[in-house]
Amino acid sequence: MSDIILKAKNISKQYRLGLVGTGTISHDLNRWWYKVRGKEDPYLKIGESNDRSTKGSSDYVWALKDINFEVKRGEVLGIIGKNGAGKSTLLKILSKVTGPTTGEIKTKGRIASLLEVGTGFHGEMTGRENIYLNGAILGMTKKEIGSKIDEIIDFSGCQRYIDTPVKRYSSGMTVRLAFAVAAFLEPEILVIDEVLAVGDAEFQKKAIGKMQDISQGEGRTVLFVSHNMAAVRNLCDRCMVLENGKISFVAETEKAIEFYYNSSTNVIKTIDLNDRKRAGDLGKQLKIIKLIVNTNNEEKNTILVTGDKAFFKLVVENISGMEYTNVSFTVSVFNEAGSFLFASRSDCISKVYNINKPIQTFTSYIEKLPLNKGEYTININCSLNDRMLDSVHEAHIFSVQEGDYYGSGKLPAKKRKGVYVDYKWL
Amino acid sequence: MNTIKENNWLYTISPKKRAINLNFKEIWNYRDLLFLFVKRDVITQYKQTILGPLWYLAQPLFTTVIFTLVFNNIASIDTGDGIPSFLFNLAGITSWNYFSACLSGTSDTFKANQGIFGKVYFPRVITPLSVVVSNLLKFGIQLLVFISFYFYFVYFTDAASLARPVIVILLLPIVILIMALIGLGFGMALSSMTTKYRDLSYLVGFGVQLLMYGSAVMYPLSLIKEKVEHGVLPKLVGSLIEYNPMTITIELFRHMTLGVGEFSLTKFLYALVVSIFIFLLGLILFNKTEKSFIDTV
């Protein structure tokens, strides 16, 4: 049961930046000339790793570089990573849409892919005709589809419109129909890319359930790419984190997701507040010079996660050199629309500090971050006996990733930008 | 245990490319897709039109009328005794249409299907093949029209006193195959090259039209020979037209159905060999492109 069904060895994929394709005519000719003389492709040597944010010196880039992994039969492998990390390129190679530049993949079964549903649908044809067409594109025979058509129609929930041209369907209905076709495919390995993003909650649940059936009930292997960590948690046994075209981490889902959140390189290390403008006399006696926002109380910023721990560390410089007692700090959180959500004010929970060193750090700790996925702004200030000593407006904008606040994998009112509170039902 | 299983890999994905990598078993497995593509083409072509499939008939008929007016009535090209020029032109146009539909239908395979090619894998050859097959249906309908006119002229007028099918009509399927192979071969080659160099797609439109004038569609080959003999036409142009495989197939088609011109086995074999050659060339280019085109399109 635990045999390896798919093995990727040294998979790399090179792209040329800027221009279309792998090169201009002159590069093509040059490449051909090298090949004629039996030499190696001259353009394979150059090329940098795939990092979206830095400007490279070479025109060639490795979208994937030396990818090695194995997948066991019946396993659900999640592939996570930032935009442009190479996830989709890998799936495209796996589904044979494009060839790798080097390396090879060996499998012991048919691979079928479900990359963005609805491609291959023809608007002029009815739902039923499209089921046949789409099924055939995905590799089913007419007979196979015929024997499952009732189940497929039933699963899609589009019975009423099944003999209506697909161009009259809503986008959600198209997705339902397309997913239904793919769900009844019977390949040994199924490759799925971000399909659950569309479709309503009921259908997403149905789709995840179906995928669990596929992997657990029928013992088929699934490779699943998604940014939706809740879905990844629900489905995957193991996850592979891709970063700049390389595998940076492979582990069981929880650890991999944690690694992914913490490794996001677009997080700056600390926030320097020393040069921020302050109104009036603020910041002349005590000055908040640095801010660190993270989930682990260390000295580096990380992305915060719903329901996870959150630390806001304020580094304060004593400019006047005097000693202070009864100093309190406040961290206020605002949503994207600028509405105030909550504040963590130390003296409200009877926590006041003495300041007697030139530089001191004070930390506000939230055990379960009640914020939804999104971007938030914070204001911070420091006061002495209700007199404001320093205040930094919009000190930092931080982002929160979706997490599991209630430990159930579910979140209420996900689309609405509220806060979560602990509650009970009696 | 792993070492034993090491040899059991069923499929391999690798960058290596063979020149011709036709996996017939795989194509056979996808035969239903071929039929469904054909069905899609047929169903959707004339959706939301009033005349529907009648358009299949309108285009060749009107072209034939115009050709007859321009080339036979005005330019007085002689189509041979006892053969109505209308029937002569209809034969030429019907066969030419099949070739040109195959060529232009397959020449943008990669570009037109990049959406679906970019998402799922299936043997790419299925797509151009489906174009050829669905055009075969259209050709069949047009052939029926031709046959009806043929009977009309033979039995209700005396204009077609000499029009008789010849026994070599048994070779008709092969002639159709030749047209399909040439169209498909050129189409696949063009579609492969246009993924990278778009210039060629501009060529296809008027190139096909120009080629028609060099393929003896609206004049008999004997006319060209006569003009060359009289020195009106350069010899080079004459032989270019004579050895154009499409000229040979169209002449053959007219010979089979109407009895005009003559049958030459050498020319027939020549056309067959050339068409297979063009087809293989197209297939090699197509195979080379299908693995990487999604990065270049």
Side-chain angles (χ1 to χ4, degrees):
Chain A
M1 200 47 204
S2 69
D3 60 332
I4 285 149
I5 193 165
L6 186 148
K7 188 172 180 178
K9 225 167 115 189
N10 292 326
I11 293 295
S12 301
K13 179 80 184 172
Q14 190 187 45
Y15 282 112
R16 188 185 147 90
L17 296 178
L19 285 160
V20 171
T22 53
T24 55
I25 292 189
S26 70
H27 279 198
D28 279 355
L29 290 176
N30 204 352
R31 201 174 255 148
W32 174 79
W33 177 232
Y34 270 77
K35 211 172 151 190
V36 166
R37 289 181 294 162
K39 290 193 179 174
E40 204 187 325
D41 189 337
Y43 298 102
L44 274 185
K45 287 173 203 157
I46 52 175
E48 301 178 339
S49 81
N50 169 23
D51 190 340
R52 172 166 44 85
S53 47
T54 53
K55 185 130 177 67
S57 53
S58 165
D59 271 352
Y60 289 88
V61 86
W62 290 103
L64 287 176
K65 182 90 178 132
D66 297 330
I67 300 288
N68 291 290
F69 65 93
E70 289 176 346
V71 187
K72 292 192 190 102
R73 196 179 291 274
E75 182 178 41
V76 184
L77 179 74
I79 300 171
I80 52 181
K82 285 186 299 173
N83 289 339
K87 303 182 298 286
S88 298
T89 309
L90 181 59
L91 288 202
K92 274 186 179 163
I93 291 173
L94 281 170
S95 51
K96 292 205 266 184
V97 162
T98 181
T101 311
T102 67
E104 62 176 12
I105 296 170
K106 289 176 170 176
T107 69
K108 278 179 203 155
R110 240 173 5 141
I111 301 182
S113 56
L114 181 51
L115 315 180
E116 285 171 52
V117 276
T119 39
F121 269 28
H122 197 293
E124 295 287 354
M125 303 207 303
T126 68
R128 191 185 300 275
E129 285 164 343
N130 267 309
I131 290 179
Y132 276 101
L133 182 64
N134 209 245
I137 288 173
L138 294 172
M140 283 194 266
T141 63
K142 221 169 156 181
K143 220 172 125 193
E144 274 180 306
I145 306 164
S147 67
K148 288 181 194 158
I149 184 119
D150 293 329
E151 281 177 274
I152 294 174
I153 296 173
D154 196 48
F155 185 82
S156 73
C158 297
Q159 288 89 337
R160 185 164 181 183
Y161 305 97
I162 205 67
D163 292 312
T164 306
V166 163
K167 64 177 175 184
R168 313 244 180 269
Y169 280 32
S170 76
S171 56
M173 271 158 62
T174 319
V175 173
R176 277 166 167 260
L177 195 64
F179 184 82
V181 179
F184 285 90
L185 266 177
E186 281 179 352
E188 287 82 0
I189 303 165
L190 188 62
V191 173
I192 303 173
D193 186 9
E194 279 304 355
V195 270
L196 301 170
V198 231
D200 54 23
E202 176 221 331
F203 187 71
Q204 288 197 10
K205 210 178 128 197
K206 212 166 160 182
I208 289 191
K210 180 72 193 172
M211 288 202 282
Q212 277 169 337
D213 283 356
I214 288 175
S215 62
Q216 286 153 22
E218 300 163 37
R220 275 184 275 146
T221 311
V222 180
L223 299 179
F224 183 61
V225 165
S226 182
H227 288 286
N228 180 349
M229 291 304 149
V232 171
R233 269 202 185 91
N234 259 329
L235 271 175
C236 304
D237 315 315
R238 217 156 56 97
C239 273
M240 181 162 98
V241 184
L242 282 184
E243 207 175 322
N244 300 336
K246 289 173 191 146
I247 297 181
S248 57
F249 197 69
V250 187
E252 55 193 78
T253 306
E254 278 308 318
K255 279 186 187 159
I257 291 178
E258 194 184 330
F259 176 86
Y260 167 60
Y261 281 141
N262 293 337
S263 72
S264 301
T265 45
N266 53 356
V267 175
I268 26 168
K269 276 178 111 174
T270 55
I271 302 107
D272 189 358
L273 301 175
N274 204 13
D275 300 329
R276 292 290 182 90
K277 271 200 173 151
R278 270 99 165 160
D281 281 342
L282 297 176
K284 294 274 158 65
Q285 294 169 290
L286 289 179
K287 194 174 187 185
I288 307 166
I289 55 167
K290 234 198 244 177
L291 172 72
I292 300 165
V293 179
N294 62 26
T295 55
N296 47 19
N297 200 14
E298 281 166 15
E299 299 307 312
K300 224 174 92 182
N301 280 342
T302 63
I303 282 187
L304 300 184
V305 184
T306 309
D308 210 342
K309 291 172 193 163
F311 296 89
F312 299 88
K313 295 158 77 82
L314 280 56
V315 180
V316 176
E317 186 183 356
N318 188 345
I319 295 192
S320 65
M322 297 189 301
E323 274 194 25
Y324 296 88
T325 51
N326 265 353
V327 178
S328 71
F329 297 95
T330 311
V331 175
S332 322
V333 177
F334 300 82
N335 66 11
E336 280 162 56
S339 309
F340 171 77
L341 295 178
F342 66 84
S344 148
R345 181 170 166 168
S346 62
D347 58 345
C348 292
I349 52 169
S350 316
K351 185 78 186 173
V352 286
Y353 297 94
N354 295 335
I355 292 188
N356 45 24
K357 287 183 214 150
I359 288 183
Q360 265 176 279
T361 303
F362 305 92
T363 304
S364 163
Y365 165 59
I366 296 171
E367 191 165 333
K368 283 168 78 180
L369 187 71
L371 296 174
N372 207 337
K373 185 171 104 184
E375 309 273 302
Y376 297 88
T377 317
I378 45 179
N379 293 355
I380 45 180
N381 62 56
C382 140
S383 49
L384 175 71
N385 299 326
D386 286 339
R387 189 168 66 91
M388 193 91 87
L389 289 184
D390 190 15
S391 164
V392 185
H393 200 64
E394 292 182 4
H396 181 44
I397 298 172
F398 63 94
S399 39
V400 175
Q401 292 275 9
E402 190 173 300
D404 195 1
Y405 188 85
Y406 297 106
S408 63
K410 289 183 200 161
L411 289 173
K414 252 174 38 180
K415 295 252 160 67
R416 312 175 74 171
K417 297 284 175 199
V419 291
Y420 299 110
V421 292
D422 282 316
Y423 58 79
K424 289 210 162 52
W425 276 83
L426 302 175
Chain B
M1 176 185 145
N2 244 345
T3 43
I4 303 164
K5 293 231 161 172
E6 207 62 35
N7 306 322
N8 287 355
W9 301 112
L10 287 175
Y11 304 93
T12 306
I13 302 169
S14 68
K16 285 183 202 88
K17 290 167 205 161
R18 263 177 294 158
I20 297 186
N21 184 13
L22 259 196
N23 188 342
F24 285 105
K25 203 182 147 210
E26 195 182 27
I27 293 173
W28 179 247
N29 284 340
Y30 275 91
R31 64 192 181 278
D32 285 334
L33 181 61
L34 179 67
F35 290 122
L36 285 163
F37 271 151
V38 172
K39 194 177 158 197
R40 176 192 68 182
D41 288 349
V42 174
I43 289 181
T44 57
Q45 178 124 48
Y46 292 113
K47 272 257 164 110
Q48 290 206 354
T49 58
I50 298 166
L51 294 179
L54 281 181
W55 284 111
Y56 285 142
L57 314 183
Q59 191 266 343
L61 283 183
F62 283 115
T63 323
T64 307
V65 169
I66 298 295
F67 273 21
T68 312
L69 285 175
V70 173
F71 294 103
N72 305 110
N73 295 7
I74 298 175
S76 36
I77 288 176
D78 188 16
T79 54
D81 283 330
I83 309 290
S85 26
F86 181 84
L87 212 51
F88 179 92
N89 284 330
L90 190 58
I93 286 167
T94 304
S95 45
W96 174 260
N97 268 356
Y98 179 55
F99 162 76
S100 76
C102 286
L103 174 56
S104 45
T106 49
S107 69
D108 63 346
T109 305
F110 283 116
K111 233 172 76 189
N113 293 290
Q114 54 174 300
I116 181 168
F117 281 7
K119 306 294 178 212
V120 266
Y121 173 80
F122 52 86
R124 306 305 191 209
V125 179
I126 296 278
T127 326
L129 278 182
S130 77
V131 172
V132 172
V133 175
S134 61
N135 278 319
L136 194 61
L137 294 179
K138 286 179 215 167
F139 175 69
I141 296 174
Q142 295 184 355
L143 200 60
L144 284 180
V145 175
F146 173 73
I147 292 169
S148 348
F149 273 98
Y150 179 83
F151 280 115
Y152 168 78
F153 277 109
V154 170
Y155 292 105
F156 297 96
T157 67
D158 4 302
S161 53
L162 289 178
R164 288 287 174 274
V166 189
I167 187 72
V168 280
I169 199 160
L170 294 175
L171 291 177
L172 183 63
I174 301 181
V175 171
I176 295 171
L177 180 75
I178 292 175
M179 293 191 280
L181 286 180
I182 301 176
L184 187 62
F186 272 131
M188 289 198 299
L190 283 169
S191 74
S192 312
M193 292 189 282
T194 41
T195 59
K196 223 168 186 180
Y197 311 109
R198 289 286 164 87
D199 316 54
L200 288 167
S201 57
Y202 300 102
L203 192 77
V204 178
F206 76 90
V208 169
Q209 207 144 22
L210 292 185
L211 192 61
M212 182 173 74
Y213 291 97
S215 302
V217 175
M218 61 291 272
Y219 52 82
L221 183 63
S222 52
L223 184 72
I224 295 295
K225 283 182 172 164
E226 195 186 306
K227 296 278 177 194
V228 173
E229 259 167 45
H230 288 101
V232 192
L233 202 67
K235 220 173 166 178
L236 178 71
V237 178
S239 24
L240 270 182
I241 293 176
E242 194 178 345
Y243 291 102
N244 173 353
M246 275 318 290
T247 308
I248 299 170
T249 33
I250 286 172
E251 282 275 302
L252 255 173
F253 182 78
R254 276 195 301 242
H255 175 69
M256 289 169 170
T257 48
L258 300 175
V260 289
E262 60 214 38
F263 176 75
S264 143
L265 187 67
T266 5
K267 276 190 173 176
F268 170 71
L269 290 176
Y270 160 79
L272 187 63
V273 169
V274 168
S275 68
I276 292 174
F277 176 74
I278 292 174
F279 171 71
L280 288 178
L281 184 80
L283 196 62
I284 289 172
L285 282 171
F286 193 84
N287 260 307
K288 253 182 90 92
T289 313
E290 73 174 14
K291 267 204 169 173
S292 63
F293 99 96
I294 206 69
D295 309 327
T296 52
V297 75

